[in-house]
Amino acid sequence: MLDARPQDPADVAPAFRAALDRFDPARSALILGHFDADGLSAVAILKRALDRADRPTEVRITGKGENPWSPALRAEMKERRPGGLLVADLGVREGDVLPGTPTVLIDHHVPTGAPGAATVISGHGWTPEPTSALLAYWCAQALGEAGDLLWLAALGLIGDMAEGAGFPELSEAQARYGKTALRDAVSLVNAPRRTAQADPTPALALLLRCDSPKDLLKGGHPETALLHEAKAEVAAALDSAKRVAPKVRGDIALIRFASPCQIHPLIAQQWRGRLKDKVVLAANTGYREGWVHFAARTATGTDLIRFLANHRPSGAGAEYGSGHAQATGGALRPTDWNAFIAGLGFPDEQVPP
Ligand SMILES: [Mn+2]
């Protein structure tokens, strides 16, 4: 089959335009997005661009442990009967998200399957690799002038650590809006999704309403205070998890703790710098009832997606081992966690089923 997916930035707007033309104009398009800075910024760009083009939209941000390919979310989407689906920063997985509904996947993670009839706008494998928000910004240009949304694309790039990647869009945004303001805005927008409640609503509201990072930080919006509270909650959780000593066996370092906050990626990232010759696993048994969530990072160059595939327990689902070769993780039921961690040489790290 002809692979018409965009191969460089200039291909993105035409591909997006062609996909939108297949949407049912009589019904709202549903925009789904990941709850981090890159995902939320991508959603805000798409919604603002579609609003201006007088195309009706609804937004659904995924919460803790949710993904569009799960039966629960699929049932919810089916109920909404959207005229089309825009799915941002949530991966490219096997099968149609909602069979029969025109779908665009805007993403940059390693694809884990063929997503049926969806239009795929993925920056995965490009050099440099655009994040979802930058791809969304290029998509928005298919609908008209979008220059005022550039700061949102920059938030996504900074949020996903693509600051040094060399995108001219980022340099331009930094010159226009200030490096510090952009970074501070990312830090605030990223905070709510890491809290126990994981409610991204105030962050998204600001991204939809503000006209610059300074407006977001200092515009007197009530949501800004909520983001500061979220940041304080996460900082406190991080503070106690930081004191947990890693257990090292062979090439693997395990840091295990229990917190309702999504701090396992931060802990893994932190130890990655200190244990440079290890695969670092940060496991959180308190994030979601009935699951062990973990983040994997390494400075060794090991392909972690392959590493996890080699150690995949039988019951692992779509939430296991996707993401990026150097930044991945997963969520496992206790039985699967127990098999997984024993297989890695930590039989004493089992959790009660
Ligand atoms: Mn992203």
Side-chain angles (χ1 to χ4, degrees):
M1 206 189 115
L2 179 76
D3 187 4
R5 59 177 68 170
Q7 302 296 326
D8 70 61
D11 296 342
V12 170
F16 185 66
R17 177 84 249 176
L20 273 189
D21 288 344
R22 290 193 285 274
F23 281 29
D24 177 354
R27 308 197 58 85
S28 290
L30 179 59
I31 308 173
L32 270 105
H34 189 220
F35 61 1
D36 71 356
D38 187 39
L40 293 174
S41 298
V43 168
I45 289 168
L46 294 170
K47 174 150 177 63
R48 290 172 75 154
L50 287 161
D51 282 353
R52 284 178 208 173
D54 284 324
R55 283 169 167 268
T57 54
E58 290 175 23
V59 169
R60 170 69 158 84
I61 305 298
T62 53
K64 274 186 171 185
E66 283 187 325
N67 86 77
W69 284 267
S70 68
L73 194 48
R74 185 173 279 151
E76 183 193 319
M77 288 187 285
K78 200 172 169 190
E79 189 83 5
R80 288 175 178 246
R81 300 207 299 122
L85 276 175
L86 298 171
V87 184
D89 204 40
L90 287 166
V92 174
R93 297 184 183 185
E94 182 67 30
D96 286 295
V97 172
L98 202 56
T101 301
T103 299
V104 186
L105 305 178
I106 298 169
D107 191 59
H108 63 126
H109 301 95
V110 180
T112 59
T119 297
V120 177
I121 297 178
S122 171
H124 171 69
W126 297 13
T127 313
E129 192 170 282
T131 66
S132 300
L134 182 56
L135 292 165
Y137 178 69
W138 291 330
C139 288
Q141 290 167 351
L143 295 163
E145 170 54 36
D148 62 317
L149 305 177
L150 178 67
W151 68 282
L152 295 165
L155 297 190
L157 286 167
I158 297 167
D160 274 12
M161 291 179 283
E163 237 184 316
F167 287 106
E169 286 86 353
L170 185 62
S171 320
E172 193 189 332
Q174 287 169 331
R176 211 194 290 175
Y177 299 105
K179 273 188 188 181
T180 310
L182 286 166
R183 272 194 205 149
D184 290 350
V186 169
S187 157
L188 278 189
V189 167
N190 253 333
R193 57 109 171 192
R194 297 196 196 280
T195 63
Q197 235 199 311
D199 176 15
T201 318
L204 181 64
L206 289 169
L207 297 176
L208 289 172
R209 194 192 314 146
C210 294
D211 56 22
S212 71
K214 279 195 181 111
D215 182 22
L216 187 152
L217 296 164
K218 296 193 167 100
H221 306 286
E223 290 89 350
T224 307
L226 297 176
L227 301 196
H228 280 288
E229 281 170 30
K231 216 180 147 175
E233 177 188 334
V234 175
L238 201 51
D239 227 38
S240 70
K242 270 180 187 168
R243 292 192 207 112
V244 177
K247 279 189 186 169
V248 178
R249 297 210 185 128
D251 296 333
I252 297 166
L254 174 69
I255 303 104
R256 181 176 149 187
F257 52 90
S259 167
C261 294
Q262 194 202 41
I263 51 173
H264 34 288
L266 300 173
I267 295 290
Q269 185 65 23
Q270 183 178 73
W271 282 103
R272 171 193 180 274
R274 288 190 225 166
L275 300 165
K276 288 193 183 356
D277 59 341
K278 303 294 173 208
V279 167
V280 176
L281 299 177
N284 187 350
T285 56
Y287 182 61
R288 196 160 51 115
E289 183 72 33
W291 294 83
V292 180
H293 281 248
F294 68 95
R297 300 284 187 280
T298 189
T300 62
T302 305
D303 180 338
L304 292 176
I305 290 190
R306 187 171 305 165
F307 172 85
L308 289 183
N310 291 340
H311 294 277
R312 186 182 189 91
S314 58
E319 49 285 287
Y320 175 91
S322 60
H324 305 278
Q326 300 300 307
T328 176
L332 292 169
R333 293 290 193 180
T335 322
D336 292 309
W337 167 261
N338 291 343
F340 169 70
I341 206 66
L344 293 177
F346 298 84
D348 47 335
E349 290 294 337
Q350 314 246 331
V351 299

